[in-house]
Amino acid sequence: MAYGFDTLQIHAGARPDPATGARQVPIYQTTAYVFRDAEHAAALFNLQEVGYIYSRLTNPTVAALQERVATLEGGVGAVCCSSGHAAQIMALFPLMGPGLNVVVSTRLYGGSITQFSQTIKRFGWSATFVDFDDLDAVAAAIDDNTRAVFCESIANPGGYVTDLDAVAKIADAAGLPLIVDNTSATPYLCRPIEHGATLVVHSMTKYLTGNGTVTGGVVVDSGNFDWSASDKFPSLSEPEPAYHGLKFHETFGPLAFTFHSIAIGLRDLGMTLNPQAAHYTLMGIETLSLRMERHVLNAEKVAGWLESHPTIEAVTYAGLASSPYHDRVARICPKGAGGLFTIALKGGYDACTRFVDSLELFSHVANLGDTRSLVIHSASTTHRQLSPEQQTAAGAAPNVVRISIGIEDAADIIADLDQALTKAHG
Ligand SMILES: *Cc1c(COP(=O)(O)O)cnc(C)c1O
């Protein structure tokens, strides 16, 4: 039976525990699993039989979460990781190698810009940054050594919406997978696979868990990419020396990427999600649609109020009728533009820091997607490592504050912003 989203967010991946009948998914707090006999152990290690060996690779609590997120995103499989940043490395790992590059959007989470512009160089990988609203520039940035295209659906911090269908078409024409970071949208607001994404990554730290208790990530595999169509992805299409010459695509078909990520990615990189974190995230996802509806409703009210406030220069919320992304929202995120946006304050950097220090209900933290309303001055914190040009391109100029609207009473959120804006402009 084809259940709806609200049903799947509670039931997908979860069945009564076969040993005890426990209705909620138990936390399988175990490192290892007893083999039935030596033959069973050998079959598991040969990937001839699917089962549990060691919790760096697989764990029943984590497996339930993988199935739930894969189902909500419309993928065939998923691999959970220790953080969103771990998920990004895990997504690229089977595709990349020394001398190869990924084409990425300039509008990304600040930490992702640093990860891609600096840290991946240590692996011999590189990233080419382009404005994903300039489709010709995206196509032009792809060369013979490109192995993936990467963007966010609703882009951090400004809440801009990427034209996923158009970007997917460009990636497809070049024979490349499109990887979409769907953290800010969640599968409730946007389903990137339906717009042509090959892989979807999340920081589950944010809306999926939803209440600021967990650090976690996930890579969802659409199962739609033909890894053997070219010689660009030998780890998946050719005999893989890291797994005694197994040919992942030939052996596992649409699940090649998922199996590779577990059998080699988690085995050797060890960026594993722990079962306790998986349990919290499973519980968070049970209310995802309810929370996202309220995040959107509140964000629309607050952004509309801010837009007409005399101390505000600009509000980037794509859900506003005045946004250049307004039409795109209806196509890419039909249930709303999320709860994340930025405001530009008259009075620049100093007004921003006074504003942030004057807020009382809002928490000043380096996080987003919490039930609580959160604020951060990106230029002095998350985007501090970036050059002024990078800050502006990423939507984090010095006069800009990022706001993550919580699910409190909208009137209380607005009252807090009102008093802090008054103080900021003293
Ligand atoms: C937070 C975030 C990340 C990084 O996730 P962590 O769980 O903090 O490692 C990546 N992308 C986006 C859009 C994020 O908001």
Side-chain angles (χ1 to χ4, degrees), residues 204-266:
M204 299 194 295
T205 313
K206 313 293 170 52
Y207 291 105
L208 289 184
T209 306
N211 52 17
T213 48
V214 158
T215 306
V218 66
V219 186
V220 181
D221 179 3
S222 68
N224 289 338
F225 197 84
D226 182 358
W227 303 109
S228 305
S230 74
D231 58 5
K232 288 188 169 160
F233 305 101
S235 261
L236 295 161
S237 62
E238 299 296 315
E240 168 57 88
Y243 216 96
H244 53 70
L246 189 67
K247 290 173 107 172
F248 278 83
H249 194 206
E250 188 179 287
T251 310
F252 300 110
L255 279 163
F257 183 94
T258 303
F259 270 84
H260 189 284
S261 292
I262 294 169
I264 299 179
L266 288 181

Short mmCIF file of all heavy atoms in Angstrom, two decimals, residues 204-266:
data_model
loop_
_atom_site.label_atom_id
_atom_site.label_comp_id
_atom_site.label_asym_id
_atom_site.label_seq_id
_atom_site.Cartn_x
_atom_site.Cartn_y
_atom_site.Cartn_z
N MET A 204 21.34 15.82 9.61
CA MET A 204 20.16 15.45 10.42
C MET A 204 20.14 16.20 11.74
O MET A 204 19.15 16.17 12.47
CB MET A 204 20.14 13.93 10.68
CG MET A 204 20.07 13.11 9.40
SD MET A 204 19.64 11.37 9.66
CE MET A 204 21.07 10.80 10.59
N THR A 205 21.28 16.84 12.04
CA THR A 205 21.44 17.72 13.20
C THR A 205 20.33 18.78 13.24
O THR A 205 19.97 19.26 14.30
CB THR A 205 22.80 18.43 13.06
OG1 THR A 205 23.81 17.48 12.73
CG2 THR A 205 23.18 19.18 14.30
N LYS A 206 19.81 19.14 12.08
CA LYS A 206 18.92 20.28 11.95
C LYS A 206 17.46 19.83 12.03
O LYS A 206 17.06 19.25 13.02
CB LYS A 206 19.24 21.02 10.64
CG LYS A 206 20.75 21.25 10.42
CD LYS A 206 21.36 22.23 11.41
CE LYS A 206 22.88 22.28 11.35
NZ LYS A 206 23.47 22.49 10.05
N TYR A 207 16.68 20.04 10.97
CA TYR A 207 15.23 19.82 11.06
C TYR A 207 14.85 18.35 11.27
O TYR A 207 13.81 18.07 11.84
CB TYR A 207 14.52 20.34 9.82
CG TYR A 207 14.53 21.83 9.69
CD1 TYR A 207 15.37 22.46 8.78
CD2 TYR A 207 13.70 22.63 10.48
CE1 TYR A 207 15.38 23.85 8.64
CE2 TYR A 207 13.70 24.01 10.35
CZ TYR A 207 14.55 24.61 9.43
OH TYR A 207 14.55 25.97 9.31
N LEU A 208 15.64 17.40 10.75
CA LEU A 208 15.18 16.01 10.84
C LEU A 208 15.08 15.57 12.30
O LEU A 208 14.08 15.02 12.72
CB LEU A 208 16.09 15.07 10.03
CG LEU A 208 15.99 15.20 8.50
CD1 LEU A 208 16.84 14.16 7.80
CD2 LEU A 208 14.54 15.09 8.02
N THR A 209 16.14 15.83 13.09
CA THR A 209 16.00 15.59 14.53
C THR A 209 15.14 16.70 15.12
O THR A 209 14.21 16.43 15.89
CB THR A 209 17.37 15.53 15.22
OG1 THR A 209 18.18 14.56 14.56
CG2 THR A 209 17.23 15.16 16.69
N GLY A 210 15.46 17.92 14.81
CA GLY A 210 14.53 19.02 15.01
C GLY A 210 14.57 19.76 16.32
O GLY A 210 13.91 20.79 16.45
N ASN A 211 15.30 19.26 17.30
CA ASN A 211 15.28 19.96 18.58
C ASN A 211 16.66 20.17 19.20
O ASN A 211 16.80 20.36 20.40
CB ASN A 211 14.36 19.22 19.58
CG ASN A 211 14.73 17.74 19.68
OD1 ASN A 211 15.83 17.36 19.27
ND2 ASN A 211 13.85 16.94 20.21
N GLY A 212 17.68 20.13 18.35
CA GLY A 212 19.01 20.48 18.83
C GLY A 212 19.62 19.50 19.82
O GLY A 212 20.29 19.91 20.76
N THR A 213 19.39 18.19 19.60
CA THR A 213 19.95 17.19 20.52
C THR A 213 21.02 16.31 19.89
O THR A 213 21.72 15.61 20.62
CB THR A 213 18.84 16.25 21.05
OG1 THR A 213 18.08 15.79 19.95
CG2 THR A 213 17.94 16.96 22.04
N VAL A 214 21.14 16.31 18.58
CA VAL A 214 21.94 15.28 17.91
C VAL A 214 22.83 15.90 16.84
O VAL A 214 22.46 16.88 16.21
CB VAL A 214 20.97 14.25 17.25
CG1 VAL A 214 21.64 13.49 16.11
CG2 VAL A 214 20.44 13.27 18.29
N THR A 215 24.00 15.31 16.62
CA THR A 215 24.79 15.59 15.43
C THR A 215 24.73 14.35 14.55
O THR A 215 25.11 13.26 15.01
CB THR A 215 26.25 15.90 15.80
OG1 THR A 215 26.27 16.95 16.75
CG2 THR A 215 27.04 16.33 14.58
N GLY A 216 24.26 14.50 13.33
CA GLY A 216 24.14 13.34 12.45
C GLY A 216 23.99 13.76 11.00
O GLY A 216 23.65 14.91 10.70
N GLY A 217 24.26 12.82 10.11
CA GLY A 217 24.11 13.09 8.67
C GLY A 217 23.64 11.85 7.95
O GLY A 217 23.61 10.76 8.53
N VAL A 218 23.26 12.02 6.69
CA VAL A 218 22.82 10.87 5.90
C VAL A 218 23.04 11.16 4.42
O VAL A 218 22.96 12.31 3.99
CB VAL A 218 21.32 10.53 6.19
CG1 VAL A 218 20.40 11.65 5.72
CG2 VAL A 218 20.91 9.20 5.57
N VAL A 219 23.37 10.10 3.67
CA VAL A 219 23.42 10.17 2.21
C VAL A 219 22.32 9.26 1.69
O VAL A 219 22.29 8.08 2.02
CB VAL A 219 24.78 9.66 1.65
CG1 VAL A 219 24.84 9.89 0.14
CG2 VAL A 219 25.95 10.31 2.36
N VAL A 220 21.41 9.80 0.88
CA VAL A 220 20.34 8.99 0.29
C VAL A 220 20.68 8.74 -1.17
O VAL A 220 21.08 9.65 -1.90
CB VAL A 220 18.97 9.71 0.39
CG1 VAL A 220 17.88 8.84 -0.22
CG2 VAL A 220 18.65 10.07 1.82
N ASP A 221 20.53 7.49 -1.58
CA ASP A 221 20.87 7.04 -2.93
C ASP A 221 19.57 6.89 -3.73
O ASP A 221 18.69 6.12 -3.35
CB ASP A 221 21.59 5.68 -2.77
CG ASP A 221 22.00 5.04 -4.09
OD1 ASP A 221 21.79 5.67 -5.14
OD2 ASP A 221 22.55 3.93 -4.04
N SER A 222 19.46 7.63 -4.86
CA SER A 222 18.25 7.53 -5.68
C SER A 222 18.18 6.18 -6.40
O SER A 222 17.10 5.73 -6.79
CB SER A 222 18.23 8.65 -6.73
OG SER A 222 19.26 8.43 -7.68
N GLY A 223 19.34 5.55 -6.62
CA GLY A 223 19.37 4.31 -7.40
C GLY A 223 19.21 4.55 -8.89
O GLY A 223 19.11 3.60 -9.67
N ASN A 224 19.19 5.82 -9.30
CA ASN A 224 18.86 6.15 -10.69
C ASN A 224 20.04 6.33 -11.62
O ASN A 224 19.85 6.54 -12.82
CB ASN A 224 18.05 7.47 -10.73
CG ASN A 224 16.66 7.30 -10.18
OD1 ASN A 224 16.15 6.18 -10.16
ND2 ASN A 224 16.05 8.38 -9.73
N PHE A 225 21.26 6.35 -11.06
CA PHE A 225 22.41 6.71 -11.90
C PHE A 225 23.07 5.46 -12.47
O PHE A 225 23.28 4.48 -11.77
CB PHE A 225 23.42 7.51 -11.08
CG PHE A 225 24.41 8.26 -11.93
CD1 PHE A 225 24.09 9.50 -12.45
CD2 PHE A 225 25.65 7.70 -12.21
CE1 PHE A 225 25.00 10.19 -13.24
CE2 PHE A 225 26.56 8.38 -13.01
CZ PHE A 225 26.25 9.63 -13.52
N ASP A 226 23.42 5.51 -13.76
CA ASP A 226 24.11 4.39 -14.40
C ASP A 226 25.63 4.59 -14.26
O ASP A 226 26.25 5.29 -15.06
CB ASP A 226 23.71 4.30 -15.88
CG ASP A 226 24.38 3.10 -16.56
OD1 ASP A 226 25.17 2.39 -15.89
OD2 ASP A 226 24.11 2.90 -17.76
N TRP A 227 26.20 3.98 -13.22
CA TRP A 227 27.62 4.18 -12.91
C TRP A 227 28.52 3.57 -13.97
O TRP A 227 29.71 3.88 -14.04
CB TRP A 227 27.95 3.59 -11.54
CG TRP A 227 27.10 4.17 -10.44
CD1 TRP A 227 26.11 3.53 -9.75
CD2 TRP A 227 27.16 5.50 -9.91
NE1 TRP A 227 25.54 4.39 -8.84
CE2 TRP A 227 26.17 5.60 -8.91
CE3 TRP A 227 27.95 6.62 -10.19
CZ2 TRP A 227 25.93 6.77 -8.18
CZ3 TRP A 227 27.72 7.79 -9.47
CH2 TRP A 227 26.73 7.87 -8.49
N SER A 228 27.96 2.67 -14.80
CA SER A 228 28.78 1.99 -15.81
C SER A 228 28.67 2.63 -17.19
O SER A 228 29.25 2.13 -18.16
CB SER A 228 28.37 0.51 -15.91
OG SER A 228 28.45 -0.10 -14.63
N ALA A 229 27.92 3.74 -17.29
CA ALA A 229 27.72 4.36 -18.60
C ALA A 229 29.01 4.99 -19.15
O ALA A 229 29.13 5.21 -20.34
CB ALA A 229 26.62 5.43 -18.52
N SER A 230 29.95 5.30 -18.26
CA SER A 230 31.24 5.84 -18.70
C SER A 230 32.33 5.21 -17.84
O SER A 230 32.04 4.41 -16.95
CB SER A 230 31.26 7.37 -18.51
OG SER A 230 31.39 7.68 -17.13
N ASP A 231 33.58 5.58 -18.13
CA ASP A 231 34.68 5.05 -17.31
C ASP A 231 35.04 6.01 -16.17
O ASP A 231 36.11 5.94 -15.60
CB ASP A 231 35.90 4.76 -18.19
CG ASP A 231 36.37 6.01 -18.92
OD1 ASP A 231 35.81 7.11 -18.68
OD2 ASP A 231 37.30 5.90 -19.75
N LYS A 232 34.09 6.91 -15.83
CA LYS A 232 34.39 7.95 -14.84
C LYS A 232 34.30 7.47 -13.39
O LYS A 232 34.81 8.14 -12.49
CB LYS A 232 33.42 9.14 -15.02
CG LYS A 232 33.71 9.94 -16.26
CD LYS A 232 32.88 11.21 -16.32
CE LYS A 232 33.42 12.08 -17.45
NZ LYS A 232 32.49 13.07 -17.92
N PHE A 233 33.62 6.35 -13.15
CA PHE A 233 33.36 5.94 -11.76
C PHE A 233 33.85 4.51 -11.52
O PHE A 233 33.06 3.62 -11.19
CB PHE A 233 31.86 6.09 -11.45
CG PHE A 233 31.36 7.48 -11.73
CD1 PHE A 233 30.65 7.76 -12.89
CD2 PHE A 233 31.67 8.52 -10.85
CE1 PHE A 233 30.23 9.06 -13.16
CE2 PHE A 233 31.25 9.81 -11.12
CZ PHE A 233 30.53 10.08 -12.27
N PRO A 234 35.17 4.30 -11.70
CA PRO A 234 35.70 2.93 -11.64
C PRO A 234 35.48 2.23 -10.29
O PRO A 234 35.34 1.01 -10.26
CB PRO A 234 37.20 3.12 -11.92
CG PRO A 234 37.49 4.56 -11.63
CD PRO A 234 36.23 5.29 -11.95
N SER A 235 35.37 2.99 -9.20
CA SER A 235 35.14 2.35 -7.89
C SER A 235 33.82 1.61 -7.88
O SER A 235 33.64 0.65 -7.13
CB SER A 235 35.08 3.42 -6.79
OG SER A 235 36.30 3.49 -6.13
N LEU A 236 32.86 2.08 -8.68
CA LEU A 236 31.54 1.46 -8.72
C LEU A 236 31.38 0.53 -9.91
O LEU A 236 30.65 -0.46 -9.83
CB LEU A 236 30.46 2.55 -8.75
CG LEU A 236 30.43 3.39 -7.45
CD1 LEU A 236 29.71 4.71 -7.66
CD2 LEU A 236 29.78 2.61 -6.33
N SER A 237 32.05 0.83 -11.03
CA SER A 237 31.82 0.04 -12.25
C SER A 237 32.89 -1.03 -12.50
O SER A 237 32.62 -2.03 -13.16
CB SER A 237 31.74 0.97 -13.47
OG SER A 237 32.97 1.66 -13.65
N GLU A 238 34.09 -0.82 -11.99
CA GLU A 238 35.22 -1.74 -12.23
C GLU A 238 35.48 -2.59 -10.98
O GLU A 238 34.95 -2.28 -9.92
CB GLU A 238 36.48 -0.93 -12.57
CG GLU A 238 36.35 -0.07 -13.82
CD GLU A 238 36.16 -0.91 -15.07
OE1 GLU A 238 36.88 -1.92 -15.22
OE2 GLU A 238 35.27 -0.58 -15.88
N PRO A 239 36.32 -3.63 -11.09
CA PRO A 239 36.68 -4.38 -9.89
C PRO A 239 37.31 -3.45 -8.84
O PRO A 239 38.23 -2.71 -9.15
CB PRO A 239 37.71 -5.40 -10.41
CG PRO A 239 37.43 -5.53 -11.86
CD PRO A 239 36.93 -4.18 -12.31
N GLU A 240 36.74 -3.44 -7.62
CA GLU A 240 37.19 -2.53 -6.56
C GLU A 240 38.29 -3.22 -5.74
O GLU A 240 38.02 -4.19 -5.02
CB GLU A 240 35.98 -2.15 -5.69
CG GLU A 240 36.27 -1.44 -4.39
CD GLU A 240 37.05 -0.14 -4.56
OE1 GLU A 240 36.43 0.92 -4.76
OE2 GLU A 240 38.29 -0.21 -4.45
N PRO A 241 39.54 -2.73 -5.86
CA PRO A 241 40.64 -3.39 -5.14
C PRO A 241 40.47 -3.35 -3.62
O PRO A 241 40.99 -4.23 -2.93
CB PRO A 241 41.89 -2.59 -5.57
CG PRO A 241 41.39 -1.35 -6.21
CD PRO A 241 40.00 -1.61 -6.69
N ALA A 242 39.71 -2.36 -3.11
CA ALA A 242 39.52 -2.27 -1.67
C ALA A 242 38.51 -3.31 -1.16
O ALA A 242 38.28 -3.43 0.04
CB ALA A 242 39.07 -0.86 -1.28
N TYR A 243 37.86 -4.05 -2.11
CA TYR A 243 36.96 -5.13 -1.68
C TYR A 243 37.20 -6.34 -2.57
O TYR A 243 36.34 -6.73 -3.37
CB TYR A 243 35.48 -4.69 -1.69
CG TYR A 243 34.70 -5.31 -0.55
CD1 TYR A 243 34.50 -4.63 0.64
CD2 TYR A 243 34.24 -6.62 -0.65
CE1 TYR A 243 33.84 -5.21 1.70
CE2 TYR A 243 33.57 -7.22 0.41
CZ TYR A 243 33.38 -6.50 1.58
OH TYR A 243 32.74 -7.09 2.64
N HIS A 244 38.36 -6.90 -2.48
CA HIS A 244 38.84 -8.06 -3.26
C HIS A 244 38.24 -8.14 -4.67
O HIS A 244 37.73 -9.17 -5.12
CB HIS A 244 38.67 -9.39 -2.51
CG HIS A 244 37.29 -9.66 -1.97
ND1 HIS A 244 36.22 -9.94 -2.77
CD2 HIS A 244 36.81 -9.67 -0.69
CE1 HIS A 244 35.13 -10.12 -2.02
NE2 HIS A 244 35.47 -9.95 -0.76
N GLY A 245 38.28 -6.99 -5.36
CA GLY A 245 37.91 -6.97 -6.77
C GLY A 245 36.42 -7.07 -7.07
O GLY A 245 36.02 -7.32 -8.21
N LEU A 246 35.57 -6.82 -6.07
CA LEU A 246 34.12 -6.86 -6.30
C LEU A 246 33.70 -5.74 -7.25
O LEU A 246 34.17 -4.61 -7.13
CB LEU A 246 33.40 -6.70 -4.95
CG LEU A 246 31.89 -6.92 -4.93
CD1 LEU A 246 31.55 -8.38 -5.21
CD2 LEU A 246 31.31 -6.53 -3.57
N LYS A 247 32.81 -6.05 -8.19
CA LYS A 247 32.25 -5.01 -9.07
C LYS A 247 30.89 -4.61 -8.49
O LYS A 247 29.92 -5.35 -8.62
CB LYS A 247 32.09 -5.55 -10.50
CG LYS A 247 33.43 -5.78 -11.21
CD LYS A 247 33.23 -6.48 -12.55
CE LYS A 247 33.44 -5.51 -13.70
NZ LYS A 247 33.42 -6.20 -15.01
N PHE A 248 30.86 -3.44 -7.85
CA PHE A 248 29.68 -3.05 -7.08
C PHE A 248 28.44 -2.84 -7.96
O PHE A 248 27.35 -3.27 -7.62
CB PHE A 248 29.97 -1.81 -6.23
CG PHE A 248 30.66 -2.15 -4.94
CD1 PHE A 248 32.03 -2.33 -4.89
CD2 PHE A 248 29.94 -2.34 -3.78
CE1 PHE A 248 32.67 -2.68 -3.72
CE2 PHE A 248 30.55 -2.69 -2.58
CZ PHE A 248 31.93 -2.86 -2.56
N HIS A 249 28.62 -2.16 -9.11
CA HIS A 249 27.44 -1.87 -9.93
C HIS A 249 26.86 -3.15 -10.53
O HIS A 249 25.65 -3.37 -10.50
CB HIS A 249 27.78 -0.86 -11.02
CG HIS A 249 26.56 -0.27 -11.67
ND1 HIS A 249 26.57 0.22 -12.95
CD2 HIS A 249 25.29 -0.13 -11.22
CE1 HIS A 249 25.34 0.64 -13.26
NE2 HIS A 249 24.55 0.46 -12.24
N GLU A 250 27.76 -4.01 -11.02
CA GLU A 250 27.32 -5.28 -11.60
C GLU A 250 26.63 -6.16 -10.54
O GLU A 250 25.62 -6.80 -10.80
CB GLU A 250 28.54 -6.01 -12.16
CG GLU A 250 28.24 -7.25 -12.95
CD GLU A 250 29.53 -7.87 -13.47
OE1 GLU A 250 30.12 -7.30 -14.42
OE2 GLU A 250 29.97 -8.91 -12.91
N THR A 251 27.17 -6.15 -9.31
CA THR A 251 26.66 -7.04 -8.26
C THR A 251 25.38 -6.50 -7.62
O THR A 251 24.45 -7.26 -7.36
CB THR A 251 27.73 -7.23 -7.16
OG1 THR A 251 28.96 -7.61 -7.79
CG2 THR A 251 27.31 -8.31 -6.17
N PHE A 252 25.34 -5.19 -7.34
CA PHE A 252 24.23 -4.65 -6.54
C PHE A 252 23.28 -3.76 -7.33
O PHE A 252 22.31 -3.23 -6.76
CB PHE A 252 24.78 -3.89 -5.32
CG PHE A 252 25.61 -4.77 -4.41
CD1 PHE A 252 26.98 -4.58 -4.31
CD2 PHE A 252 25.02 -5.80 -3.69
CE1 PHE A 252 27.75 -5.41 -3.50
CE2 PHE A 252 25.78 -6.62 -2.87
CZ PHE A 252 27.15 -6.43 -2.78
N GLY A 253 23.54 -3.54 -8.62
CA GLY A 253 22.62 -2.76 -9.46
C GLY A 253 22.36 -1.40 -8.88
O GLY A 253 23.30 -0.67 -8.54
N PRO A 254 21.07 -1.01 -8.72
CA PRO A 254 20.76 0.34 -8.25
C PRO A 254 21.27 0.62 -6.82
O PRO A 254 21.34 1.78 -6.43
CB PRO A 254 19.23 0.40 -8.30
CG PRO A 254 18.77 -1.00 -8.45
CD PRO A 254 19.88 -1.78 -9.08
N LEU A 255 21.62 -0.43 -6.07
CA LEU A 255 22.11 -0.22 -4.70
C LEU A 255 23.63 -0.17 -4.63
O LEU A 255 24.21 -0.21 -3.53
CB LEU A 255 21.58 -1.32 -3.78
CG LEU A 255 20.14 -1.10 -3.29
CD1 LEU A 255 19.54 -2.38 -2.73
CD2 LEU A 255 20.08 0.00 -2.24
N ALA A 256 24.30 -0.03 -5.79
CA ALA A 256 25.77 -0.06 -5.81
C ALA A 256 26.37 1.01 -4.90
O ALA A 256 27.28 0.73 -4.11
CB ALA A 256 26.26 0.14 -7.24
N PHE A 257 25.86 2.23 -5.01
CA PHE A 257 26.44 3.32 -4.21
C PHE A 257 26.25 3.04 -2.72
O PHE A 257 27.16 3.23 -1.91
CB PHE A 257 25.81 4.67 -4.60
CG PHE A 257 26.42 5.82 -3.88
CD1 PHE A 257 27.46 6.55 -4.43
CD2 PHE A 257 25.96 6.17 -2.61
CE1 PHE A 257 28.05 7.60 -3.73
CE2 PHE A 257 26.54 7.22 -1.91
CZ PHE A 257 27.59 7.93 -2.48
N THR A 258 25.05 2.60 -2.34
CA THR A 258 24.75 2.35 -0.92
C THR A 258 25.67 1.26 -0.36
O THR A 258 26.25 1.42 0.72
CB THR A 258 23.28 1.93 -0.76
OG1 THR A 258 22.46 2.96 -1.31
CG2 THR A 258 22.91 1.71 0.70
N PHE A 259 25.80 0.15 -1.10
CA PHE A 259 26.66 -0.94 -0.61
C PHE A 259 28.12 -0.51 -0.53
O PHE A 259 28.82 -0.85 0.42
CB PHE A 259 26.49 -2.19 -1.50
CG PHE A 259 25.39 -3.09 -1.03
CD1 PHE A 259 24.07 -2.85 -1.39
CD2 PHE A 259 25.65 -4.17 -0.19
CE1 PHE A 259 23.04 -3.67 -0.94
CE2 PHE A 259 24.63 -5.00 0.26
CZ PHE A 259 23.31 -4.74 -0.11
N HIS A 260 28.58 0.24 -1.53
CA HIS A 260 29.96 0.72 -1.52
C HIS A 260 30.19 1.62 -0.30
O HIS A 260 31.22 1.52 0.38
CB HIS A 260 30.24 1.50 -2.81
CG HIS A 260 31.68 1.86 -3.02
ND1 HIS A 260 32.30 2.88 -2.34
CD2 HIS A 260 32.64 1.31 -3.83
CE1 HIS A 260 33.56 2.96 -2.74
NE2 HIS A 260 33.80 2.02 -3.63
N SER A 261 29.21 2.48 0.00
CA SER A 261 29.36 3.42 1.11
C SER A 261 29.46 2.71 2.46
O SER A 261 30.14 3.19 3.37
CB SER A 261 28.19 4.40 1.14
OG SER A 261 28.25 5.24 0.03
N ILE A 262 28.76 1.59 2.58
CA ILE A 262 28.83 0.84 3.84
C ILE A 262 30.09 -0.03 3.86
O ILE A 262 30.90 0.03 4.78
CB ILE A 262 27.56 -0.03 4.01
CG1 ILE A 262 26.33 0.86 4.19
CG2 ILE A 262 27.72 -0.97 5.22
CD1 ILE A 262 25.01 0.14 4.11
N ALA A 263 30.26 -0.82 2.78
CA ALA A 263 31.33 -1.83 2.77
C ALA A 263 32.72 -1.20 2.74
O ALA A 263 33.66 -1.77 3.28
CB ALA A 263 31.14 -2.77 1.58
N ILE A 264 32.85 -0.02 2.12
CA ILE A 264 34.17 0.60 2.03
C ILE A 264 34.19 1.95 2.76
O ILE A 264 35.07 2.20 3.58
CB ILE A 264 34.61 0.76 0.56
CG1 ILE A 264 34.70 -0.64 -0.07
CG2 ILE A 264 35.96 1.48 0.49
CD1 ILE A 264 35.10 -0.65 -1.51
N GLY A 265 33.19 2.81 2.49
CA GLY A 265 33.16 4.14 3.11
C GLY A 265 33.15 4.07 4.63
O GLY A 265 34.05 4.58 5.30
N LEU A 266 32.12 3.44 5.19
CA LEU A 266 32.05 3.35 6.65
C LEU A 266 33.16 2.46 7.21
O LEU A 266 33.74 2.75 8.26
CB LEU A 266 30.68 2.83 7.11
CG LEU A 266 29.50 3.79 6.96
CD1 LEU A 266 28.23 3.14 7.48
CD2 LEU A 266 29.75 5.12 7.68
#
